[in-house]
């Protein structure tokens, strides 16, 4: 069984079983593959180098749109312009955090520095955002409904399995954030 | 936002230094402050995580971070910083990196939400 993250003498520590590590690796790979920009063959290499992407469009996939939201509420043109300037580096930032978490999973001991913990919390958050879209969590009532699924023997279809995975990552992130707060208090 | 059993909302009002908050906004004078950074509620992000982001990214003390977080949770949105457009946009990208749902808007168009970065 996984153990909640805690803050102690060795820093922020946690414990995950091999199967749980494998599960998280799979989730991380899924989110990375969503975020990896599709390289257009005729793309201007200089524009790519400085992070511009003039061909970028607002994502049609809801989960991807939640990861890469519009920066203005009622201005699609303004949001698109901003997206052209920033989306590529935002994707790279998120992929960086996810890769850092994946690397942490390869270590035997799960002991995280402050910075590693921060990257883990970002990665877990993005995983949860994607799972939540797949589970159709639109409001607090939906979230409560999913949260009620705690028993792995109830996992009989894809949705209930996803709900359990979502609750596991929620629990893991919550314990991680509490540990980070505890370590901040003692700086 | 979502909360789990272990989430204790800051009764502890221990103040931390506000260095990064000051460095991020103090240089601005009044005419330079026409844009707001708005963070929106969603049913996924943990209340503890949102407060953590406000503390670690903006350098807000825990009490202020919790106040803004609760405003997001209860009112659906909160203005968590303001400043020149470029600066507020930079904050928005940072919030998106953390997975928070943030937008920028002209300060004049803000219908709701006090509790801005520097009241």
């Amino acid at each position: 069984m996984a153990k909640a993250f805690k803050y102690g003498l060795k820093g922020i520590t946690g414990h995950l079983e091999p199967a749980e590590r494998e599960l998280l690796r799979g989730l991380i790979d899924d989110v990375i593959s969503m975020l990896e920009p599709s390289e257009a063959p005729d793309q201007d290499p200089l524009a790519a180098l400085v992070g511009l992407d003039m061909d970028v469009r607002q994502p049609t996939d809801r989960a991807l749109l939640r990861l890469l939201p519009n920066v203005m509420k009622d201005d699609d043109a303004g949001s698109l312009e901003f997206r052209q300037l920033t989306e590529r580096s935002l994707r790279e930032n998120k992929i960086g955090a996810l890769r850092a978490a994946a690397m942490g999973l390869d270590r035997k001991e799960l002991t995280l520095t402050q910075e590693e913990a921060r990257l883990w919390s970002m990665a877990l958050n993005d995983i949860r955002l994607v799972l939540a879209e797949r589970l159709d969590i639109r409001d607090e009532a939906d979230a409560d409904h999913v949260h009620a699924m705690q028993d792995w023997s109830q996992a009989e279809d894809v949705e209930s399995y996803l709900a359990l995975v979502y609750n596991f990552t929620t629990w893991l992130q919550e314990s991680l954030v509490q540990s980070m707060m505890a370590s901040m208090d003692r700086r | 936002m979502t909360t789990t059993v272990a989430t204790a909302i800051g009764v502890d009002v221990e103040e931390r230094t506000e260095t990064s908050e000051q460095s991020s906004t103090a240089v601005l004078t009044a005419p330079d402050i026409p844009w707001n950074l708005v963070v929106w509620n969603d049913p996924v992000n943990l209340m503890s995580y949102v407060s953590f982001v406000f503390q670690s990214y903006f350098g807000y003390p825990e009490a202020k971070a919790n106040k803004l977080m609760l405003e997001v949770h209860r009112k659906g949105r909160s203005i968590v910083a303001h400043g020149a457009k470029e600066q507020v946009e930079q904050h928005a990208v940072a919030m998106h990196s953390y997975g928070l749902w943030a937008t920028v808007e002209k300060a004049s168009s803000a219908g709701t939400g006090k509790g801005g970065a520097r009241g």
Side-chain angles (χ1 to χ4, degrees), chain B:
Chain B
M1 273 180 283
T2 200
T3 179
T4 56
V5 193
T7 319
I9 303 298
V11 203
D12 180 0
V13 287
E14 186 192 339
E15 296 278 316
R16 248 185 296 280
T17 53
E18 294 189 34
T19 39
S20 53
E21 177 191 354
Q22 278 160 4
S23 64
S24 65
T25 45
V27 289
L28 296 169
T29 51
D32 295 321
I33 309 189
W35 286 78
N36 290 333
L37 175 71
V38 180
V39 171
W40 299 83
N41 191 35
D42 73 63
V44 178
N45 284 333
L46 295 166
M47 296 171 86
S48 55
Y49 179 68
V50 173
S51 179
F52 164 76
V53 172
F54 292 168
Q55 288 177 57
S56 66
Y57 175 76
F58 293 108
Y60 291 161
E62 186 178 358
K64 176 172 180 168
N66 282 337
K67 180 174 164 282
L68 292 172
M69 177 275 290
L70 286 171
E71 191 169 82
V72 173
H73 184 60
R74 288 175 184 152
K75 296 183 181 166
R77 51 168 271 160
S78 174
I79 295 166
V80 302
H82 46 228
K85 187 172 185 236
E86 291 72 21
Q87 184 185 31
V88 170
E89 284 175 341
Q90 196 186 332
H91 292 332
V93 176
M95 293 300 104
H96 295 170
S97 285
Y98 278 105
L100 270 56
W101 181 23
T103 57
V104 301
E105 64 183 27
K106 278 200 184 105
S108 54
S109 70
T112 55
K114 285 184 181 171
R118 296 185 66 78

Side-chain angles (χ1 to χ4, degrees), chain A residues 66 69 71-73 82 90 93-94 118 121-122 125 128-129 132 139-140 166 173-174 177 180-181 185, chain B residues 1-2 4 7 16 40-46 48-49 52 89 92-93 96-99 101 103-104:
Chain A
R66 182 59 190 79
V71 78
M72 278 176 252
K73 190 108 173 128
F82 189 72
L90 178 59
N93 257 341
K94 287 179 175 289
R118 191 180 69 87
S121 72
M122 295 166 89
N125 206 68
R128 292 182 58 246
L129 288 172
D139 55 31
E140 315 276 342
Y166 177 80
Q173 191 196 13
E174 178 68 49
V177 173
M180 290 158 77
M181 299 277 216
D185 283 345
Chain B
M1 273 180 283
T2 200
T4 56
T7 319
R16 248 185 296 280
W40 299 83
N41 191 35
D42 73 63
V44 178
N45 284 333
L46 295 166
S48 55
Y49 179 68
F52 164 76
E89 284 175 341
V93 176
H96 295 170
S97 285
Y98 278 105
W101 181 23
T103 57
V104 301

